[in-house]
Amino acid sequence: MTEAYTLHEDPRSGNCYKIKLTAALLGLPLATKQYDILQGETRTPDFLANVNANGRIPVLEIESDQPTRFLPESNAACWYLASAANGENALIPQDSFAQADMLRWMFFEQYNHEPNIATLRFWLHFVGEANLSDQQRAQMMAKRIAGCDALKIMDDHLSRRNWMVGKGATLADIALFAYTHVAEEGGFGLGDYPAIEAWLGRIRALPGFIPMA
Amino acid sequence: MTEAYTLHEDPRSGNCYKIKLTAALLGLPLATKQYDILQGETRTPDFLANVNANGRIPVLEIESDQPTRFLPESNAACWYLASAANGENALIPQDSFAQADMLRWMFFEQYNHEPNIATLRFWLHFVGEANLSDQQRAQMMAKRIAGCDALKIMDDHLSRRNWMVGKGATLADIALFAYTHVAEEGGFGLGDYPAIEAWLGRIRALPGFIPMA
């Protein structure tokens, strides 16, 4: 039996979009099941017990001849799909250093980029500035600075190369594309980062590319 | 030529310790070069230009017959060493799902665990509570709650198995061990997490284990 994939997702989430974009670029069918994170739909007892004890989407559900498996963490799910596809366009380089360097940028994405750029986008674009708590408001400036730092590091890196790692698109590009291309919804102007803007265009031109919902 | 490894590190950092523990468990020689992060030694123009533009340690320096390469991000460096060692004890499972599930816990570590548990340890144990800024102080409660949540997820998971993934130690255990075993320095009592305490003992008993400096 070939595997069948279902993504548990909120379509507004860039972390979920990464997985959909990976599947699209690989030509893999991917069903989806939607949740509204603003309504707490990923914190229900059923979700915590059966999908992800961490109460977060995305989660990739994998059906095969084994018992159904659930894989949380967006970048791990992208890894699984690309390693399962395992072909010429697998989006994971074969060279050991390039593979580790790709993971390096995916960890950078989760540590330096997402908590700043995705969080400010979520607060400003979906929650609304007027609805933020004092504690959230107190963190905005630190997240603004750290997000700009992350974009600057990417822009410097991309000013000398076309892709984050090696000579073609990898999961590092997909992971970083997800929240970078909507960074303006978090108040990050991309006009200051010309190498990023050119790279966004290269990703949009990849065969099989799909836009975020 | 075999490869030679040098770790750019601050010995107080659990992220650096992960890489030293990985090398020790694999039996790989690893030289070290020390920096004092409290003195800003990883933010000098030389470090930013030649070691890591992100101004952070750890960075794994790799010498071989190619030009010297630098690999930032602790979990990526652990991946590189284990994939280079590539033997029976390579700490990376061969099965595709187990490999992705290992990466899932390593992303969890960088997103849910490290920014809370390691940051509170750094603030309380090294910077000192009296020296914290108002902005840092305002984040302490949120980090305390999120850190306890991460420990609870680990403890529930480990109450049903001996290792984070599969039937033996992997990089997921090493990554999570680093800051969990010193969580009390950040004010997180481990007495509430008996499955974690038993797992810490299993890791300390691994052949080749070395303690944090």
CSV table of all heavy atoms in Angstrom, one decimal, chain A residues 168-194:
chain,number,residue,atom,x,y,z
A,168,GLY,N,20.2,24.6,-5.9
A,168,GLY,CA,18.7,24.5,-6.2
A,168,GLY,C,17.9,24.6,-5.0
A,168,GLY,O,18.4,24.7,-3.9
A,169,ALA,N,16.6,24.6,-5.2
A,169,ALA,CA,15.6,24.7,-4.1
A,169,ALA,C,15.7,23.5,-3.2
A,169,ALA,O,15.8,22.4,-3.6
A,169,ALA,CB,14.2,24.9,-4.6
A,170,THR,N,15.7,23.7,-1.9
A,170,THR,CA,15.7,22.7,-0.9
A,170,THR,C,14.6,23.0,0.2
A,170,THR,O,14.0,24.1,0.1
A,170,THR,CB,17.0,22.5,-0.1
A,170,THR,OG1,17.2,23.6,0.8
A,170,THR,CG2,18.2,22.3,-1.1
A,171,LEU,N,14.4,22.1,1.1
A,171,LEU,CA,13.4,22.4,2.2
A,171,LEU,C,13.8,23.7,3.0
A,171,LEU,O,12.9,24.3,3.6
A,171,LEU,CB,13.4,21.2,3.2
A,171,LEU,CG,12.9,19.9,2.6
A,171,LEU,CD1,12.9,18.8,3.7
A,171,LEU,CD2,11.5,20.0,2.0
A,172,ALA,N,15.1,24.1,3.0
A,172,ALA,CA,15.4,25.3,3.7
A,172,ALA,C,14.7,26.5,3.0
A,172,ALA,O,14.3,27.4,3.7
A,172,ALA,CB,16.9,25.5,3.7
A,173,ASP,N,14.7,26.5,1.7
A,173,ASP,CA,14.0,27.6,1.0
A,173,ASP,C,12.5,27.6,1.3
A,173,ASP,O,11.9,28.6,1.5
A,173,ASP,CB,14.2,27.5,-0.5
A,173,ASP,CG,15.7,27.6,-0.9
A,173,ASP,OD1,16.3,28.7,-0.8
A,173,ASP,OD2,16.3,26.5,-1.2
A,174,ILE,N,11.9,26.4,1.3
A,174,ILE,CA,10.5,26.3,1.5
A,174,ILE,C,10.1,26.8,3.0
A,174,ILE,O,9.2,27.5,3.2
A,174,ILE,CB,10.0,24.8,1.3
A,174,ILE,CG1,10.1,24.5,-0.2
A,174,ILE,CG2,8.5,24.6,1.8
A,174,ILE,CD1,9.9,23.0,-0.5
A,175,ALA,N,10.9,26.3,3.9
A,175,ALA,CA,10.7,26.6,5.3
A,175,ALA,C,10.8,28.2,5.5
A,175,ALA,O,9.9,28.7,6.2
A,175,ALA,CB,11.7,25.9,6.2
A,176,LEU,N,11.8,28.8,4.9
A,176,LEU,CA,11.9,30.2,5.1
A,176,LEU,C,11.0,31.1,4.2
A,176,LEU,O,10.6,32.2,4.6
A,176,LEU,CB,13.4,30.6,4.9
A,176,LEU,CG,14.3,30.2,6.0
A,176,LEU,CD1,15.8,30.2,5.6
A,176,LEU,CD2,14.1,31.2,7.2
A,177,PHE,N,10.6,30.5,3.1
A,177,PHE,CA,9.6,31.2,2.2
A,177,PHE,C,8.3,31.5,3.0
A,177,PHE,O,7.7,32.5,2.8
A,177,PHE,CB,9.3,30.4,1.0
A,177,PHE,CG,8.4,31.1,0.0
A,177,PHE,CD1,8.8,32.1,-0.9
A,177,PHE,CD2,7.0,30.7,0.0
A,177,PHE,CE1,7.9,32.7,-1.7
A,177,PHE,CE2,6.1,31.3,-0.9
A,177,PHE,CZ,6.6,32.3,-1.8
A,178,ALA,N,7.8,30.5,3.7
A,178,ALA,CA,6.5,30.5,4.3
A,178,ALA,C,6.1,31.8,5.0
A,178,ALA,O,5.1,32.4,4.7
A,178,ALA,CB,6.3,29.3,5.2
A,179,TYR,N,6.9,32.2,6.0
A,179,TYR,CA,6.6,33.4,6.7
A,179,TYR,C,7.3,34.6,6.1
A,179,TYR,O,6.9,35.8,6.4
A,179,TYR,CB,6.9,33.3,8.2
A,179,TYR,CG,5.9,32.4,8.9
A,179,TYR,CD1,6.2,31.2,9.4
A,179,TYR,CD2,4.6,32.9,9.0
A,179,TYR,CE1,5.2,30.4,10.0
A,179,TYR,CE2,3.6,32.1,9.7
A,179,TYR,CZ,3.9,30.8,10.1
A,179,TYR,OH,3.0,30.1,10.8
A,180,THR,N,8.4,34.5,5.3
A,180,THR,CA,9.0,35.6,4.7
A,180,THR,C,8.1,36.3,3.7
A,180,THR,O,8.0,37.5,3.7
A,180,THR,CB,10.3,35.2,4.1
A,180,THR,OG1,11.2,34.6,5.0
A,180,THR,CG2,11.1,36.4,3.5
A,181,HIS,N,7.4,35.5,2.9
A,181,HIS,CA,6.6,36.2,1.8
A,181,HIS,C,5.4,36.9,2.3
A,181,HIS,O,4.8,37.6,1.6
A,181,HIS,CB,6.3,35.1,0.7
A,181,HIS,CG,5.1,34.3,0.9
A,181,HIS,ND1,4.9,33.4,1.9
A,181,HIS,CD2,3.9,34.4,0.2
A,181,HIS,CE1,3.7,32.9,1.8
A,181,HIS,NE2,3.1,33.5,0.8
A,182,VAL,N,5.0,36.6,3.6
A,182,VAL,CA,3.9,37.4,4.2
A,182,VAL,C,4.4,38.2,5.3
A,182,VAL,O,3.6,38.7,6.2
A,182,VAL,CB,2.8,36.4,4.6
A,182,VAL,CG1,2.1,35.8,3.4
A,182,VAL,CG2,3.3,35.4,5.6
A,183,ALA,N,5.7,38.5,5.4
A,183,ALA,CA,6.2,39.3,6.5
A,183,ALA,C,5.6,40.7,6.6
A,183,ALA,O,5.5,41.3,7.7
A,183,ALA,CB,7.8,39.4,6.4
A,184,GLU,N,5.2,41.2,5.4
A,184,GLU,CA,4.6,42.6,5.5
A,184,GLU,C,3.3,42.6,6.3
A,184,GLU,O,3.0,43.6,6.9
A,184,GLU,CB,4.4,43.1,4.1
A,184,GLU,CG,5.8,43.3,3.4
A,184,GLU,CD,5.8,44.1,2.1
A,184,GLU,OE1,4.7,44.3,1.5
A,184,GLU,OE2,6.9,44.5,1.6
A,185,GLU,N,2.6,41.5,6.4
A,185,GLU,CA,1.4,41.4,7.3
A,185,GLU,C,1.8,41.5,8.8
A,185,GLU,O,1.0,41.7,9.6
A,185,GLU,CB,0.7,40.1,7.0
A,185,GLU,CG,0.1,40.0,5.6
A,185,GLU,CD,-0.6,38.6,5.3
A,185,GLU,OE1,-0.6,37.7,6.2
A,185,GLU,OE2,-1.1,38.5,4.2
A,186,GLY,N,3.1,41.3,9.1
A,186,GLY,CA,3.6,41.6,10.4
A,186,GLY,C,4.3,42.9,10.5
A,186,GLY,O,4.9,43.2,11.6
A,187,GLY,N,4.2,43.7,9.5
A,187,GLY,CA,4.8,45.0,9.5
A,187,GLY,C,6.3,45.1,9.1
A,187,GLY,O,7.0,46.1,9.4
A,188,PHE,N,6.8,44.0,8.5
A,188,PHE,CA,8.2,44.0,8.1
A,188,PHE,C,8.2,44.3,6.6
A,188,PHE,O,7.8,43.5,5.7
A,188,PHE,CB,8.8,42.6,8.2
A,188,PHE,CG,9.0,42.2,9.7
A,188,PHE,CD1,8.0,41.5,10.3
A,188,PHE,CD2,10.1,42.6,10.4
A,188,PHE,CE1,8.1,41.1,11.7
A,188,PHE,CE2,10.2,42.2,11.7
A,188,PHE,CZ,9.3,41.4,12.4
A,189,GLY,N,8.6,45.5,6.2
A,189,GLY,CA,8.7,45.9,4.8
A,189,GLY,C,9.9,45.1,4.2
A,189,GLY,O,11.0,45.1,4.7
A,190,LEU,N,9.6,44.6,3.0
A,190,LEU,CA,10.7,43.8,2.4
A,190,LEU,C,11.5,44.6,1.4
A,190,LEU,O,12.5,44.1,0.8
A,190,LEU,CB,10.0,42.6,1.7
A,190,LEU,CG,9.5,41.5,2.6
A,190,LEU,CD1,8.8,40.4,1.8
A,190,LEU,CD2,10.6,40.9,3.5
A,191,GLY,N,11.1,45.9,1.2
A,191,GLY,CA,11.9,46.7,0.2
A,191,GLY,C,13.3,46.9,0.6
A,191,GLY,O,14.2,47.1,-0.2
A,192,ASP,N,13.6,46.7,1.9
A,192,ASP,CA,15.0,46.9,2.4
A,192,ASP,C,15.9,45.6,2.1
A,192,ASP,O,17.0,45.6,2.4
A,192,ASP,CB,15.1,47.1,3.9
A,192,ASP,CG,14.4,48.4,4.3
A,192,ASP,OD1,14.3,49.3,3.4
A,192,ASP,OD2,14.0,48.6,5.4
A,193,TYR,N,15.2,44.6,1.6
A,193,TYR,CA,15.9,43.3,1.4
A,193,TYR,C,15.8,42.8,0.0
A,193,TYR,O,15.1,41.9,-0.3
A,193,TYR,CB,15.3,42.3,2.4
A,193,TYR,CG,15.2,42.7,3.8
A,193,TYR,CD1,14.0,43.2,4.4
A,193,TYR,CD2,16.4,42.8,4.6
A,193,TYR,CE1,13.9,43.6,5.7
A,193,TYR,CE2,16.3,43.2,6.0
A,193,TYR,CZ,15.1,43.6,6.5
A,193,TYR,OH,15.0,44.1,7.8
A,194,PRO,N,16.6,43.5,-0.9
A,194,PRO,CA,16.4,43.1,-2.4
A,194,PRO,C,16.8,41.7,-2.7
A,194,PRO,O,16.1,41.1,-3.6
A,194,PRO,CB,17.3,44.1,-3.1
A,194,PRO,CG,18.3,44.6,-2.0
A,194,PRO,CD,17.5,44.5,-0.7
